Amino acid sequence: GKNVKIGKNCTIGHNTIIESNVKIGSNCKIGCNVTIKNTIIDDNVNILDGAVIGKKGFGFFPSKNTNIRYPHVGMVLIGKNVEIGCNNTIDRGSLSNTIIGDNTFLDNQVHIAHNVKIGKNCSIAGQVGFAGSSLIGNNVMIGGQAGISGHIKIGNYVKIGGGSGVVKSIPDNTNVMGYPAKDIRNFIKDSKNG
């Protein structure tokens, strides 16, 4: 597409489409059946098969007779040494950018909505969903099938157990689990008493 730059030593799989406004760094591996648009990718990024990155997110103004989409003019910014699993969807930002920090690994089937910002060195297991404008710190670990509500902040060094529903902000160095997610010690105590 238009305004596309691809760095040195990159490999791109079959049926992959690099649409407009994309910059790919050096030594990147992009799998098959990937679609990328409105995205800046740093060096040494590995994108597995079926990922869709940089399409507009789910945002609209509801009214009585129709829904009017609001604009998405932001980008997706992907840091160095990131891995994006199979069939991930990463929406472009609406009025700001969606960001994936350096050395973050995303398992398969992760959804990242518009304006989400994920820090460095995070590990996100399969089927995790991030609602729009959530802020994730550095060195965060999230178990499979967890859901992160929009417009909340997850601190640094947080661990979120699989299947958890995070509906409010979580401070640094906290381990949570359950729905709604709560401190892991309280979750275990409540489970024993339940």
Side-chain angles (χ1 to χ4, degrees):
K2 293 180 180 177
N3 194 25
V4 169
K5 295 181 180 178
I6 299 174
K8 295 179 180 178
N9 302 315
C10 291
T11 59
I12 298 174
H14 68 270
N15 294 327
T16 285
I17 301 170
I18 310 296
E19 294 189 27
S20 57
N21 304 314
V22 174
K23 181 179 178 185
I24 299 172
S26 299
N27 305 308
C28 292
K29 296 178 183 176
I30 299 172
C32 302
N33 302 305
V34 173
T35 302
I36 304 173
K37 185 176 185 179
N38 306 306
T39 299
I40 299 173
I41 299 169
D42 213 325
D43 299 336
N44 305 307
V45 171
N46 189 14
I47 300 172
L48 303 182
D49 298 348
V52 178
I53 302 171
K55 295 291 192 169
K56 64 183 171 182
F58 187 71
F60 57 89
F61 303 106
S63 66
K64 186 175 181 180
N65 297 317
T66 186
N67 294 319
I68 301 167
R69 275 195 163 277
Y70 63 77
H72 284 77
V73 296
M75 302 283 286
V76 175
L77 309 179
I78 298 173
K80 291 180 174 68
N81 307 310
V82 169
E83 182 164 296
I84 295 170
C86 294
N87 299 313
N88 277 210
T89 52
I90 304 175
D91 296 341
R92 72 186 294 192
S94 55
L95 298 177
S96 65
N97 294 320
T98 301
I99 299 173
I100 313 296
D102 295 349
N103 306 307
T104 285
F105 276 49
L106 307 174
D107 192 3
N108 299 331
Q109 297 179 330
V110 172
H111 174 71
I112 299 172
H114 58 216
N115 308 325
V116 170
K117 292 170 178 50
I118 298 178
K120 298 177 180 180
N121 303 311
C122 295
S123 298
I124 314 298
Q127 297 182 341
V128 170
F130 295 89
S133 301
S134 53
L135 303 175
I136 314 302
N138 299 321
N139 300 290
V140 172
M141 299 177 72
I142 303 178
Q145 294 187 329
I148 312 299
S149 292
H151 302 275
I152 63 173
K153 182 177 180 182
I154 308 300
N156 299 317
Y157 297 97
V158 167
K159 293 181 181 177
I160 299 170
S164 296
V166 180
V167 297
K168 62 182 182 178
S169 294
I170 299 174
D172 293 351
N173 302 300
T174 305
N175 298 335
V176 300
M177 189 161 184
Y179 187 89
K182 56 184 153 185
D183 185 280
I184 190 75
R185 291 167 294 194
N186 293 333
F187 175 82
I188 292 169
K189 184 174 77 172
D190 292 346
S191 297
K192 287 180 181 177
N193 293 335

